[in-house]
Amino acid sequence: MIPYGRQSISQQDIDAVTEVLKSDFLTQGPQVPAFEQSIIDACDAQYAVAVNSATSALHIACLALELGKDNWLWTTPNTFVASANCGLYCGAKIDFVDIDPHTYNLCTKQLEEKLIAAEKSGKLPKIVIPVHFSGQACDMQAIYSLSKKYGFKIIEDASHAIGGKYKGEPIGNGRYSDITIFSFHPVKIVTSAEGGVAVTNKAELAEKMLLLRSHGITRDEGLMTQAMDGPWYYQQITLGFNYRMTELQAALGLSQMQRLETFVIKRHELASRYNELLQNLPITLPWQRSDSYSAWHLYVIRLQLEQIGITHLDVFNALRAAGILVNLHYIPVHMQPYYQEIGFTAGQFPQAEQYYKEAISIPMFAAMTDEQQDTVCSTLQTLLCVKS
């Protein structure tokens, strides 16, 4: 079996976790701050707040930016549901912006057109969440320029994109956004088993998110409403959550971060090899912006269905039957039953819907071998009736 993605665990990673198990701290110890610092260093950012998932990071990022009832959050339909759900958690209203047909990221032309209409109707978004799909950055300069004109905040959902770059700078450096979110799920570029991080250059946002990740509790006397009763004293000064990352997760993530560049380089090698081996098949290969250095979390092909004579489902099932565990990223969020119950319908975002009918994520992970990649390509060649 060849999975579409999987973690790459070294003896160094195992030793790092084992050391934590032998230590005095399994939670709220020194590993979480060390992991946060590794993210800060990798992104050229000022602050990082580690939590138990990227979903939690999105939630506290929205709360830190004061998203609430009657506010609007816009994101792309081509993403995991968490990119939209985080707004609903805050009581906000959700809308989507259709995707660019080449990058599959949020389309800036569609965004501008929607903003013009929203300004007239008094329904401008408070937050826009562009998602760096597959590891390739959105056109953040254009989105940032629109944010200055229309007054919205930006959260980059970079769950796919740690180690990537935009205009030669690390994704997450905050040049074009308020907060950036990374995921460390096992299929991502690096993993902490489960976990996420919110990165920002704004001290007040970092302070809010630190409070929100741990029940709204502080031991900082400067934030308290009265003098401390004693060294045991703490105060809950806002309503927060138990979103903390464990020391075990942080130790694994910190160890993995030491190989971030190696992982991304390997993914680029795999992508280049796929581009060469698959170039003559009746499929559309991933298109890359010239100003983006993708982290290559996913390698997504689009079937040219009018040429191959079999269905999308046929291809998907045949690959899985051959032991190639392909996946599909993503079912458009507005097509989910929950979102249709709140008013979304088919046909609203045609580019995302057409993409969904044709897309397949084929295997891409740092430990993938040439032999495994050759198997994927030869199976596709046979299946699509193309001679090598």
Side-chain angles (χ1 to χ4, degrees):
M1 296 289 185
I2 305 173
Y4 89 87
R6 73 182 307 272
Q7 67 274 13
S8 180
I9 301 298
S10 69
Q11 188 60 49
Q12 173 186 300
D13 297 334
I14 294 168
D15 292 343
V17 174
T18 301
E19 285 303 306
V20 171
L21 287 169
K22 295 176 180 177
S23 75
D24 293 331
F25 295 97
L26 297 185
T27 188
Q28 296 179 278
Q31 294 297 318
V32 169
F35 178 51
E36 290 169 337
Q37 187 61 51
S38 75
I39 305 298
I40 289 168
D41 294 342
C43 296
D44 291 340
Q46 295 297 313
Y47 306 97
V49 180
V51 288
N52 59 0
S53 72
T55 301
S56 299
L58 284 164
H59 186 194
I60 63 173
C62 288
L63 290 172
L65 291 170
E66 299 181 347
L67 185 72
K69 185 180 179 182
D70 297 327
N71 295 147
W72 284 91
L73 181 148
W74 292 2
T75 188
T76 170
N78 184 35
T79 185
F80 186 57
V81 293
S83 306
N85 288 351
C86 60
L88 297 178
Y89 299 157
C90 301
K93 300 175 182 178
I94 304 299
D95 205 352
F96 301 97
V97 179
D98 210 352
I99 63 171
D100 180 283
H102 302 294
T103 64
Y104 319 139
N105 281 331
L106 182 148
C107 177
T108 54
K109 290 181 181 179
Q110 293 282 334
L111 175 61
E112 184 171 20
E113 291 175 6
K114 199 174 184 94
L115 287 165
I116 291 169
E119 185 175 44
K120 292 177 182 177
S121 64
K123 295 181 179 179
L124 283 168
K126 183 160 189 173
I127 294 175
V128 171
I129 301 184
V131 178
H132 301 324
F133 178 74
S134 80
Q136 179 175 201
C138 297
D139 186 355
M140 291 307 303
Q141 188 173 54
I143 295 169
Y144 179 76
S145 178
L146 290 169
S147 78
K148 296 295 108 178
K149 182 175 181 179
Y150 291 98
F152 59 84
K153 300 296 185 180
I154 299 172
I155 300 172
E156 295 178 69
D157 186 341
S159 293
H160 294 184
I162 194 164
K165 295 180 182 179
Y166 175 67
K167 295 188 179 295
E169 298 181 331
I171 292 173
N173 74 343
R175 184 177 296 278
Y176 301 107
S177 65
D178 298 279
I179 301 171
T180 301
I181 306 302
F182 294 113
S183 171
F184 301 97
H185 183 275
V187 297
K188 298 302 196 300
I189 312 302
V190 299
T191 186
S192 59
E194 287 279 8
V197 168
V199 178
T200 185
N201 289 335
K202 299 178 180 180
E204 67 276 15
L205 294 179
E207 184 178 281
K208 287 180 180 179
M209 291 189 291
L210 284 168
L211 281 169
L212 288 165
R213 81 170 173 190
S214 190
H215 305 284
I217 285 173
T218 184
R219 292 181 182 274
D220 182 348
E221 191 169 10
L223 299 177
M224 293 182 181
T225 59
Q226 65 183 53
M228 296 178 68
D229 293 343
W232 64 85
Y233 194 67
Y234 60 84
Q235 284 189 347
Q236 181 187 342
I237 60 175
T238 192
L239 182 62
F241 308 89
N242 186 0
Y243 283 171
R244 294 189 301 268
M245 174 180 278
T246 69
E247 288 288 280
L248 298 168
Q249 293 169 312
L252 176 56
L254 178 59
S255 178
Q256 290 256 308
M257 282 297 294
Q258 296 176 39
R259 307 200 303 285
L260 173 61
E261 185 176 2
T262 300
F263 288 153
V264 175
I265 288 172
K266 174 61 176 178
R267 287 172 178 271
H268 272 261
E269 292 172 353
L270 290 167
S272 294
R273 197 160 184 269
Y274 267 143
N275 290 343
E276 180 181 351
L277 294 171
L278 299 176
Q279 61 182 325
N280 295 320
L281 297 184
I283 59 179
T284 301
L285 302 179
W287 183 85
Q288 300 294 293
R289 292 173 54 93
S290 60
D291 58 5
S292 177
Y293 176 79
S294 179
W296 280 111
H297 167 52
L298 299 173
Y299 190 96
V300 178
I301 61 172
R302 290 181 72 168
L303 303 176
Q304 296 172 9
L305 293 170
E306 70 284 356
Q307 296 186 40
I308 65 176
I310 56 176
T311 69
H312 185 218
L313 180 60
D314 288 338
V315 175
F316 192 94
N317 285 342
L319 287 166
R320 286 205 163 183
I324 300 168
L325 303 184
V326 292
N327 212 328
L328 203 164
H329 301 87
Y330 288 96
I331 303 167
V333 179
H334 73 285
M335 299 296 290
Q336 294 290 350
Y338 179 85
Y339 279 85
Q340 299 217 319
E341 286 177 6
I342 62 176
F344 292 98
T345 59
Q348 286 184 289
F349 307 100
Q351 290 291 348
E353 292 173 34
Q354 187 60 39
Y355 162 86
Y356 171 62
K357 294 175 182 178
E358 302 168 353
I360 296 179
S361 300
I362 62 176
M364 167 71 85
F365 50 96
M368 190 176 191
T369 66
D370 286 354
E371 181 181 9
Q372 288 174 317
Q373 194 170 30
D374 288 342
T375 297
V376 174
C377 295
S378 63
T379 304
L380 277 168
Q381 288 171 340
T382 302
L383 184 59
L384 302 181
C385 302
V386 176
K387 294 181 180 180
S388 59

